[in-house]
Amino acid sequence: MLTTPTSPVRPTDPVRPTSPIGPAGPIRPTGPTGPHPGPPAGHRAVCAAVLAELLPYRRALDAGRGERPDAFPVQLRQLAEPVAAGQPIVFTLPGFPCKSPNPAKVLGHLPDEGERLALRFLDALCARVEAVHPPGARVVICSDGHVFSDLIGVPDPAIDAYADELRALIRAEGLTRLDVFDLREVYGDGLSYDERRALAEARHAPSLESLRSLTRSDEPTRRLYQGITRFLFEDTAAYPGTRSALQRDCRRRAYGVMRRSGAWGGLVAAHHPGAFRLSIHPQPRGSAKFGIRLLDAPDVWLTPWHSCVLEHPDGRRELMHRADAERLGRLVLRGGRPSHFVADQGLSDDSRDC
C-alpha cells in the first residue's frame, strides 16, 4: 500500500531525526550505542511465539530453514513493550503504492486478486498473532504511492483511485485488523501533493551523498539500489531515448526513490511510534525491519502491484508478470474487472466472470 477504524493522525508532522537510509534500506537501530536489554523474562516466551508466527513468511536473501526467534533480537525488543503492557501489537508496512505503469506486468491500475490475497494474508497473520498474544495485532498499511509518483511516472489521481479501492476492498472482505495510512493524512489540508512531498523530503530524507556512500559500502543497500533500478527500468513502457540513456535515468531515479522512502519511513515512525516495522523488501538479519513475503513468487522482489496472480490447477497461487501469466492461463474477471489468470488447459480461451 482503511475504512475500518483508522489510527489517529496528528495534523502536523513532528520533526524527528533523519534516519541514515529509511525504509527502503537496511536501517540500523538508532539511539545510544551499546547492548540493549532484552524482553523481561516473563514476556520473552510470548515475544518469541509472536515472532515464530512471522518467521515462515520472512522475505530475505539469507533466509534458511529452521530459523529461530532468538536469531532476531532487534525484533524481540520491538515486541517487548506492547507484550509487557498487554497492548495490541501494531505492525507498520510501507507498500501498496499503486499498480506498475507497465501493462506487460499488471492487469490495470486498480487492486486485483493479488492485493486481495495479500490483504487477506495480513489479516490472517494478525489472527494467528492473537492466538499467542490475546490483546491481538493490527497492520497499518502505509500506502506510499504519492511519495514516489513523480519518480515512477504514475499520476496522483491514479494513486488516489488505487488507495480508495484498497480501502473499499478491505471493507468488502471484512478485514478488521487492517488500517491504511497515506500522504493525504499528513501535513493537514490545503497543500498539494508536490508540496507534501517536498516537506517530507526536506524534513526526513537522507542526503544523496550518504546514500551513495552506503550503496558502495553496504551489500543489502547495494542490492536494494539494484532492485529498484531494475523495477524502474521494467516499469518504463515507453522512453524516447536510447536504452543506455534509460538505464542512466533509472539509476538516478532509484536514488530519488530511496531518499523518498527514507522520508516516508520518518513520517511513518513519527505517526506510529513504537510499531513493529515490516518491509516488503528483503531484509538481512540484524535489520530494524522485518521483510515479509505476501504471496508466493519466483522472484523475492516481486509484489502484487508489479505483477498479477496465476492460479494453478492444484489451487496454488503465484505472482508473475501479466505477459507470462497470459501464456500459461486464462483471464478471470471479478465484478466485471480483470482479476487474475487460471492455468487450466482443459478450458476454452474465453475469459469468465467469477
Side-chain angles (χ1 to χ4, degrees), residues 249-303:
D249 180 65
C250 290
R251 287 193 289 269
R252 176 190 61 80
R253 285 189 287 139
Y255 279 119
V257 169
M258 292 171 73
R259 291 192 70 229
R260 296 271 185 86
S261 187
W264 184 235
L267 283 170
V268 169
H271 286 268
H272 303 281
F276 184 108
R277 180 66 163 77
L278 298 173
S279 173
I280 53 93
H281 295 132
Q283 298 294 333
R285 295 183 190 90
S287 171
K289 296 167 290 183
F290 187 91
I292 192 78
R293 176 169 45 85
L294 303 176
L295 292 170
D296 285 337
D299 183 342
V300 72
W301 295 93
L302 206 56
T303 66

Side-chain angles (χ1 to χ4, degrees), residues 233-254:
F233 186 85
E234 293 175 350
D235 280 356
T236 304
Y239 186 76
T242 64
R243 182 182 177 89
S244 60
L246 174 58
Q247 289 173 333
R248 288 193 298 272
D249 180 65
C250 290
R251 287 193 289 269
R252 176 190 61 80
R253 285 189 287 139

Side-chain angles (χ1 to χ4, degrees), residues 56-350:
Y57 311 103
R58 178 172 173 249
R59 186 193 291 258
L61 300 173
D62 61 353
R65 292 177 179 267
E67 290 184 310
R68 297 175 55 85
D70 57 12
F72 299 87
V74 174
Q75 280 67 42
L76 290 174
R77 288 195 297 270
Q78 290 177 0
L79 293 167
E81 184 175 346
V83 168
Q87 296 294 321
I89 296 165
V90 177
F91 298 106
T92 52
L93 177 61
F96 294 84
C98 59
K99 285 293 193 181
S100 165
N102 188 344
K105 298 175 73 172
V106 297
L107 289 171
H109 71 281
L110 295 176
D112 55 33
E113 184 73 355
E115 280 84 357
R116 188 176 76 89
L117 292 174
L119 294 171
R120 292 176 68 179
F121 162 75
L122 291 170
D123 191 80
L125 187 62
C126 289
R128 289 195 289 273
V129 169
E130 188 174 345
V132 298
H133 177 62
R138 64 187 180 92
V139 174
V140 180
I141 295 169
C142 304
S143 181
D144 49 7
H146 286 301
V147 178
F148 310 114
S149 65
D150 57 323
L151 294 170
I152 61 177
V154 178
D156 287 307
I159 292 169
D160 281 335
Y162 178 91
D164 291 344
E165 187 64 22
L166 200 66
R167 289 174 166 90
L169 184 57
I170 290 168
R171 276 200 311 272
E173 294 286 323
L175 306 178
T176 58
R177 301 175 183 90
L178 304 183
D179 298 326
V180 170
F181 172 77
D182 63 31
L183 197 60
R184 288 180 285 188
E185 301 175 63
V186 179
Y187 299 127
D189 298 328
L191 295 180
S192 69
Y193 285 125
D194 284 338
E195 290 169 327
R196 292 169 194 250
R197 283 187 282 267
L199 275 174
E201 191 169 323
R203 295 184 180 183
H204 294 284
S207 70
L208 179 59
E209 293 74 19
S210 66
L211 205 53
R212 289 184 184 277
S213 175
L214 202 54
T215 301
R216 289 190 296 267
S217 62
D218 183 82
E219 179 64 16
T221 305
R222 185 183 67 82
R223 288 178 174 177
L224 178 73
Y225 167 72
Q226 291 172 336
I228 292 174
T229 301
R230 191 190 85 194
F231 275 128
L232 291 172
F233 186 85
E234 293 175 350
D235 280 356
T236 304
Y239 186 76
T242 64
R243 182 182 177 89
S244 60
L246 174 58
Q247 289 173 333
R248 288 193 298 272
D249 180 65
C250 290
R251 287 193 289 269
R252 176 190 61 80
R253 285 189 287 139
Y255 279 119
V257 169
M258 292 171 73
R259 291 192 70 229
R260 296 271 185 86
S261 187
W264 184 235
L267 283 170
V268 169
H271 286 268
H272 303 281
F276 184 108
R277 180 66 163 77
L278 298 173
S279 173
I280 53 93
H281 295 132
Q283 298 294 333
R285 295 183 190 90
S287 171
K289 296 167 290 183
F290 187 91
I292 192 78
R293 176 169 45 85
L294 303 176
L295 292 170
D296 285 337
D299 183 342
V300 72
W301 295 93
L302 206 56
T303 66
W305 45 95
H306 283 107
S307 61
C308 63
V309 170
L310 176 72
E311 182 178 348
H312 292 276
D314 61 3
R316 180 173 56 92
R317 281 102 164 198
E318 182 181 12
L319 292 175
M320 62 179 61
H321 290 164
R322 174 183 181 169
D324 297 323
E326 283 180 326
R327 289 194 292 267
L328 298 173
R330 181 175 54 82
L331 182 64
V332 174
L333 305 179
R334 182 182 293 274
R337 290 209 315 256
S339 173
H340 61 288
F341 290 92
V342 171
D344 190 335
Q345 296 177 355
L347 297 178
S348 69
D349 293 333
D350 296 330

